Amino acid sequence: MITAVRELGTFALNKSGKDSLSALTEVINADNYPYMLVIELEEHKPCEFICVSVEDMNAGGAGRYIYRQGSSRGSNYSPTAIITDIKKTLPIKIIGWFNSVSKRKLMFSTEEQGHLKIIKASLEKNQAKIESEIIEKLQDIGKSCGLTLRIGGKYISEVAVFRKAFMQLVSAKEDSISASDKLCSLCGQRKIKVSAGAPAYKFYTIDKPGMISGHFIQEKSWRNYPVCQECSRALDEGKRITEQKLKFSFYGLSYTLIPKFLSGKPSDIILKIITGNRMDKNIKIKTETGRKLVKTEDSILHLLAREEDNLMYNFLFSKKSNSAERILLLVEDVLPSRLRALFAAKGKVDAVFVNDPFHLGKVRNFFAKSDEGKRDNDLDKYFLETIDKTFKGLPISMPFLATHFMREIRRDFNNQEGVLFKVGNAIQTVMFFVNLSMLTPKEVTMAETIFDPVFKKYEAQLDSREKRGIFLLGSLTKMLLNIQYTTRHSQPFLSQLMGLKMDERNIKGLLPKVINKLLEYKRLDHKKNQLAEVISQYFLESPLNWRLPVDELNYYFVCGMNLYKEINVILYGQEEVKEEEEADVDVD
């Protein structure tokens, strides 16, 4: 993955012709910080303070500020900063930068040193006045801003001493732990100097001896991750591109899309992403929601699926933890043909559920929180494992899915008196995985019944006699509940369902209870009796021990409840269905 980022950065640097300074600067997000406050100073001694002016962020290019974030408690690599608390930003990030430079042994001429001292003295002399003007500007603007300097109308990128200081400060940070005449771990070449890692990706720390290669000696920690200067610059640029143009939200998580070029050069679509804007009209997906695998405005998966298999995609799910980057999941080497397979599987599901297109958000519904009272999602691990298997085509367990399905379905069922909002999402999810061959149904020959059109539609899930019997019992039970609601505006029979935690014995014992209750309501007509007979037949022909986990058993039962209208159509035809639908209290 790191190699792919380096290749992306190397290509971008060669394409753009950026110099070393531009490659090291970071871009301040203009959406979050729309304005830059500029402390204006005179050019010549004593560099008197003029005023604080306001300009649009990055109006003349981000490079003019040569911004690069430094320590959260100290100064940055240049006197440019994001304003947090002006009482701290000005003295620590701006004036503090001059203090930091004076303490380090940087290579400046006597004239350059004198120039920096004069600017610092002017800022300290006028500190109160500058703070007052900044506060006034912030109140007028009402939005977050950045802060920088301009000397005699020149931005700091146009003043040689600031450029020199910036480059030396960055190099000093990288050279603090380094070695000469060693192999770079990325390009594999012997270089004059390699450093301990690259600022772009901090996958380890050296604050504890046990984390250090080289006999636990900190000075030898470069052995953990030796990187040459050229690769470090390429990583910086590659990371900048991925974070600005290839980072996407994903149902409460975020992932970075990292392309890997098998032919040595990027495709046209990747080239447009690298050289254009993230939401460039040429690369923005404008397909209708039904064609998307991820339900988001700027999902590019559908577009990337059209590419030839001369590149691969890496999907990096990560989050920052203090100063290190914590990888949640890395899905490597996904070919465009695999993405096409995902969309093909989705298309088959959508052909069944025409008015309710499938997307991965429906999978996320079951892998967010184990308890709705929790503040944060605690099932991200299981969701990411499922996504990993989806991209790689690895098998998935039906009992595993049923456990998570039924937790959510029971929650709705018990909290809202029998409502089954999420059953349809669960059915679609299983169909999606079956279409990807991640779930393999059994091949069992069974006698024909009038309900075969429904079984044919969902044959991958209803692949045994006991599953079909449970499914049909769910439909018959739903018909009884609708009759109860029509008759007495309540559904007391819900208590017999045991909160959808029925085992095999409870399910088998439920059938006579449903039949008996239909007799009490005088609604056990010929059609319902025919349905009960088929259920009995399936139960009798099934094995003595079903060997179905409770969650999976109840899943097939609620599927029957949710899809009872399809059974109704077979039994009664369209006219009778309309009558039953009027009694149906669910919103599916």
Side-chain angles (χ1 to χ4, degrees):
M1 186 275 293
I2 293 294
T3 302
V5 176
R6 182 185 68 87
E7 290 177 357
L8 183 65
T10 300
F11 179 84
L13 288 173
N14 293 337
K15 186 74 176 176
S16 63
K18 279 186 175 182
D19 57 21
S20 298
L21 183 69
S22 300
L24 290 171
T25 57
E26 298 173 2
V27 178
I28 300 175
N29 190 325
D31 293 331
N32 298 333
Y33 306 95
Y35 299 103
M36 177 65 81
L37 302 187
V38 183
I39 301 173
E40 305 276 5
L41 300 178
E42 292 181 352
E43 182 175 6
H44 302 291
K45 184 178 180 180
C47 297
E48 287 290 350
F49 168 67
I50 302 172
C51 67
V52 175
S53 61
V54 182
E55 67 181 30
D56 291 336
M57 183 65 72
N58 305 328
R64 59 172 48 178
Y65 307 132
I66 52 175
Y67 172 75
R68 185 182 177 94
Q69 187 176 5
S71 168
S72 59
R73 297 181 180 180
S75 61
N76 295 331
Y77 290 90
S78 72
T80 298
I82 301 298
I83 298 176
T84 51
D85 179 351
I86 190 55
K87 296 292 185 181
K88 295 180 180 179
T89 302
L90 181 60
I92 295 176
K93 296 294 186 181
I94 306 301
I95 298 175
W97 180 85
F98 292 88
N99 295 329
S100 177
V101 167
S102 64
K103 291 177 183 178
R104 296 174 181 268
K105 296 179 180 180
L106 302 184
M107 299 177 63
F108 292 133
S109 66
T110 304
E111 182 181 352
E112 289 171 334
Q113 290 177 354
H115 193 195
L116 291 177
K117 288 179 180 178
I118 291 171
I119 295 173
K120 176 191 172 188
S122 177
L123 292 173
E124 290 177 334
K125 173 186 173 183
N126 296 282
Q127 182 173 344
K129 188 175 181 181
I130 295 171
E131 283 184 1
S132 177
E133 286 200 27
I134 290 174
I135 292 171
E136 183 180 341
K137 298 291 184 184
L138 289 174
Q139 290 174 345
D140 291 341
I141 295 171
K143 294 183 179 180
S144 299
C145 301
L147 183 64
T148 191
L149 300 176
R150 189 156 53 198
I151 317 297
K154 296 179 181 179
Y155 290 93
I156 55 177
S157 63
E158 300 171 306
V159 181
V161 67
F162 288 106
R163 294 198 304 270
K164 185 185 293 187
F166 179 86
M167 295 297 295
Q168 291 187 50
L169 287 171
V170 173
S171 296
K173 176 68 175 178
E174 294 181 357
D175 295 345
S176 58
I177 300 176
S178 59
S180 301
D181 194 30
K182 301 297 180 182
L183 290 176
C184 172
S185 62
L186 295 181
C187 64
Q189 298 179 13
R190 186 172 294 275
K191 293 300 180 76
I192 296 175
K193 181 171 60 179
V194 295
S195 300
Y201 291 101
K202 300 176 182 179
F203 292 121
Y204 70 97
T205 59
I206 57 173
D207 57 341
K208 294 181 176 63
M211 299 178 181
I212 302 173
S213 298
H215 306 288
F216 308 138
I217 302 171
Q218 191 174 38
E219 289 73 19
K220 294 185 178 181
S221 63
W222 60 267
R223 295 180 178 180
N224 282 24
Y225 179 25
V227 179
C228 68
Q229 190 176 65
E230 292 79 5
C231 288
S232 181
R233 299 289 179 269
L235 275 178
D236 275 341
E237 184 67 10
K239 185 178 182 182
R240 184 189 68 79
I241 290 172
T242 57
E243 290 194 340
Q244 290 182 10
K245 303 177 182 182
L246 293 170
K247 203 172 188 70
F248 303 94
S249 59
F250 192 78
Y251 306 110
L253 301 168
S254 65
Y255 74 90
T256 304
L257 175 65
I258 304 170
K260 183 178 180 181
F261 317 124
L262 300 181
S263 62
K265 62 179 182 179
S267 62
D268 290 342
I269 179 60
I270 299 297
L271 184 60
K272 289 177 181 178
I273 294 173
I274 294 173
T275 58
N277 296 319
R278 179 175 183 270
M279 297 308 294
D280 186 286
K281 65 181 180 181
N282 294 318
I283 64 169
K284 181 178 177 181
I285 287 187
K286 295 185 177 180
T287 55
E288 64 275 14
T289 301
R291 291 178 63 188
K292 294 179 182 176
L293 186 64
V294 180
K295 196 175 182 181
T296 174
E297 173 68 10
D298 58 1
S299 168
I300 63 170
L301 295 184
H302 191 277
L303 198 59
L304 295 177
R306 302 176 188 173
E307 295 290 293
E308 298 296 327
D309 284 351
N310 55 8
L311 78 162
M312 295 187 290
Y313 305 119
N314 298 319
F315 296 86
L316 176 66
F317 294 83
S318 66
K319 69 177 181 180
K320 285 193 174 181
S321 178
N322 297 323
S323 60
E325 197 92 5
R326 180 187 170 199
I327 296 178
L328 301 177
L329 172 68
L330 174 61
V331 185
E332 292 188 288
D333 302 339
V334 179
L335 291 167
S337 56
R338 181 58 186 174
L339 293 183
R340 289 195 291 274
L342 300 186
F343 280 100
K346 166 191 159 48
K348 293 179 181 179
V349 178
D350 293 348
V352 177
F353 296 87
V354 178
N355 298 318
D356 186 19
F358 174 78
H359 52 80
L360 292 177
K362 297 190 175 185
V363 181
R364 179 60 158 164
N365 283 337
F366 302 104
F367 296 93
K369 296 180 180 179
S370 59
D371 189 312
E372 59 185 353
K374 292 192 174 184
R375 185 185 67 177
D376 300 321
N377 293 336
D378 62 332
L379 298 178
D380 289 347
K381 174 186 175 183
Y382 298 108
F383 178 59
L384 289 171
E385 285 179 359
T386 303
I387 294 302
D388 186 41
K389 290 180 178 181
T390 302
F391 279 112
K392 294 178 179 177
L394 300 176
I396 196 166
S397 163
M398 186 62 209
F400 167 78
L401 292 175
T403 297
H404 292 282
F405 290 163
M406 290 310 302
R407 182 189 58 251
E408 297 299 317
I409 292 169
R410 285 191 192 105
R411 186 181 297 166
D412 290 346
F413 183 83
N414 294 326
N415 293 346
Q416 303 185 48
E417 298 183 350
V419 170
L420 301 170
F421 288 117
K422 295 177 181 174
V423 177
N425 290 346
I427 295 171
Q428 288 188 349
T429 298
V430 173
M431 291 182 69
F432 179 68
F433 290 141
V434 169
N435 293 337
L436 289 171
S437 299
M438 294 169 62
L439 282 169
T440 305
K442 302 175 184 176
E443 293 186 7
V444 181
T445 302
M446 286 176 269
E448 293 184 1
T449 71
I450 62 171
F451 305 111
D452 282 357
V454 175
F455 297 148
K456 179 67 176 176
K457 194 174 180 181
Y458 307 104
E459 62 181 345
Q461 301 185 52
L462 303 175
D463 58 354
S464 69
R465 294 174 179 84
E466 56 270 28
K467 291 177 183 178
R468 292 186 178 187
I470 296 167
F471 176 87
L472 292 177
L473 179 57
S475 295
L476 184 61
T477 303
K478 180 63 177 173
M479 295 175 192
L480 169 61
L481 292 171
N482 284 348
I483 291 169
Q484 277 194 333
Y485 189 82
T486 302
T487 304
R488 54 194 296 176
H489 296 288
S490 64
Q491 298 172 303
F493 196 78
L494 281 175
S495 62
Q496 297 293 326
L497 306 187
M498 302 175 63
L500 299 180
K501 293 184 179 181
M502 298 176 286
D503 58 18
E504 179 181 336
R505 188 171 68 85
N506 301 138
I507 286 287
K508 290 177 177 177
L510 186 64
L511 178 57
K513 293 179 182 179
V514 173
I515 293 172
N516 184 61
K517 191 60 66 174
L518 287 170
L519 286 170
E520 290 181 13
Y521 284 98
K522 298 181 180 180
R523 295 294 294 271
L524 186 64
D525 55 30
H526 171 67
K527 297 295 185 180
K528 291 186 179 67
N529 191 59
Q530 184 181 10
L531 175 57
E533 288 177 358
V534 174
I535 296 170
S536 299
Q537 180 182 344
Y538 276 132
F539 283 177
L540 289 171
E541 293 177 353
S542 64
L544 185 63
N545 187 346
W546 289 350
R547 299 185 183 280
L548 286 175
V550 169
D551 287 328
E552 190 174 353
L553 189 152
N554 284 269
Y555 166 70
Y556 297 120
F557 182 82
V558 295
C559 285
M561 292 182 68
N562 191 66
L563 298 172
Y564 86 97
K565 293 175 185 177
E566 297 190 29
I567 301 300
N568 237 341
V569 169
I570 293 173
L571 290 174
Y572 296 103
Q574 194 65 29
E575 184 176 349
E576 181 69 17
V577 171
K578 290 181 180 178
E579 178 185 338
E580 290 287 351
E581 286 178 353
E582 291 176 2
D584 187 7
V585 296
D586 282 22
V587 183
D588 296 322

